[in-house]
Amino acid sequence: MSNSTVRAIVTDIEGTTTDINFVHKVLFPYAYAKLPDFLRENAATPAVAEQIDAVRSDMQAPEATLEAVIATLLHWIDTDQKVTPLKALQGMVWADGYQRGDFTGHLYADVAPALRQWQAEGKALYVYSSGSVQAQKLLFGYSDEGDLTPLFSGYFDTHIGHKREAASYQRILDTLDLPPASVLFLSDVVEELDAAEQAGMQTRQLVREGTQPGTHHTCVARFDEIAV
């Protein structure tokens, strides 16, 4: 299939644009430390209250106390659960951290130049990550390379579906309204690439340090090795 057919690029974040260590050694511990007091202080705020109710729903415990909700959220962080209300609340806590300058969003050095080049060439850029859309916008908005959000046409998270299910990628294609073969998906995770391919997308596996290369999808080590 000719690379010239690529009209849109959808990229994962962890292990693809961003070192997994940034997520697991900076963002997750920050949220773990700050989330309890954030919830206690903001539980009555409508946006926070909505997510607290969503946690209770996932717990199947509509009368759960705030402290029980907090304990559940911390357990989800400990066990790296991809739970939508957790992601939303983490995003709110991270927003404070980014805005305070406690950290910036890590990007591999090859990412921003490639994104700028692709966007300049007329490729539409999208993000699909298990982190919430808010967290995605924060990472790219407060990135090591400054505010990159103007480069992106849209963002997808687990509201569209889980990343290892072909139906999720079909929903993304429906939103983009593009032929499947004209959309390229980038990820470090073979199962995600498999699901995207089942939906008809082109795929590339990013093999960063510590990533196990698969045998089915074209592998690249850096964004500047991707010809589109």
Side-chain angles (χ1 to χ4, degrees):
M1 186 180 297
S2 169
N3 287 329
S4 64
T5 62
V6 173
R7 295 170 58 187
I9 299 169
V10 181
T11 184
D12 170 51
I13 292 179
E14 283 187 46
T16 301
T17 66
T18 298
D19 191 335
I20 291 174
N21 284 331
F22 171 71
V23 178
H24 290 274
K25 295 186 178 179
V26 177
L27 290 184
F28 282 2
Y30 188 89
Y32 195 95
K34 302 289 187 181
L35 192 59
D37 283 345
F38 177 84
L39 287 176
R40 294 178 188 121
E41 293 166 9
N42 298 282
T45 304
V48 176
E50 178 184 354
Q51 298 306 325
I52 291 172
D53 284 343
V55 175
R56 289 181 173 128
S57 177
D58 282 346
M59 294 168 65
Q60 299 183 324
E63 304 302 320
T65 65
L66 180 60
E67 294 307 311
V69 168
I70 290 170
T72 295
L73 288 163
L74 295 180
H75 172 70
W76 286 345
I77 295 175
D78 279 334
T79 53
D80 193 22
Q81 298 294 308
K82 311 295 188 185
V83 186
T84 298
L86 168 62
K87 298 298 182 181
L89 290 166
Q90 283 175 318
M92 295 177 196
V93 174
W94 292 331
D96 284 345
Y98 283 113
Q99 290 158 10
R100 294 174 192 270
D102 289 347
F103 44 79
T104 56
H106 173 268
L107 296 176
Y108 290 110
D110 53 280
V111 171
L115 293 175
R116 291 189 180 105
Q117 178 181 340
W118 295 336
Q119 201 248 8
E121 293 171 352
K123 315 294 185 189
L125 303 180
Y126 298 88
V127 179
Y128 180 29
S129 172
S130 57
S132 69
V133 165
Q134 181 192 18
Q136 297 170 29
K137 290 179 177 178
L138 287 167
L139 189 150
F140 287 105
Y142 292 88
S143 84
D144 297 338
E145 300 294 326
D147 183 5
L148 300 184
T149 56
L151 299 177
F152 291 98
S153 297
Y155 305 83
F156 301 97
D157 60 16
T158 51
H159 282 97
I160 202 86
H162 291 287
K163 295 186 69 186
R164 300 187 181 198
E165 297 175 0
S168 304
Y169 298 87
Q170 185 58 59
R171 292 185 197 104
I172 290 174
L173 289 167
D174 292 343
T175 303
L176 270 52
D177 196 24
L178 290 172
S182 72
V183 179
L184 172 63
F185 178 61
L186 310 177
S187 177
D188 61 317
V189 179
V190 169
E191 291 85 355
E192 296 175 5
L193 296 163
D194 288 345
E197 185 182 59
Q198 289 172 34
M201 292 183 181
Q202 296 191 48
T203 59
R204 299 289 186 280
Q205 183 184 13
L206 270 295
V207 182
R208 304 288 191 179
E209 183 179 357
T211 302
Q212 185 66 34
T215 57
H216 179 65
H217 303 276
T218 300
C219 293
V220 293
R222 301 166 50 90
F223 271 35
D224 50 21
E225 295 178 6
I226 301 168
V228 296

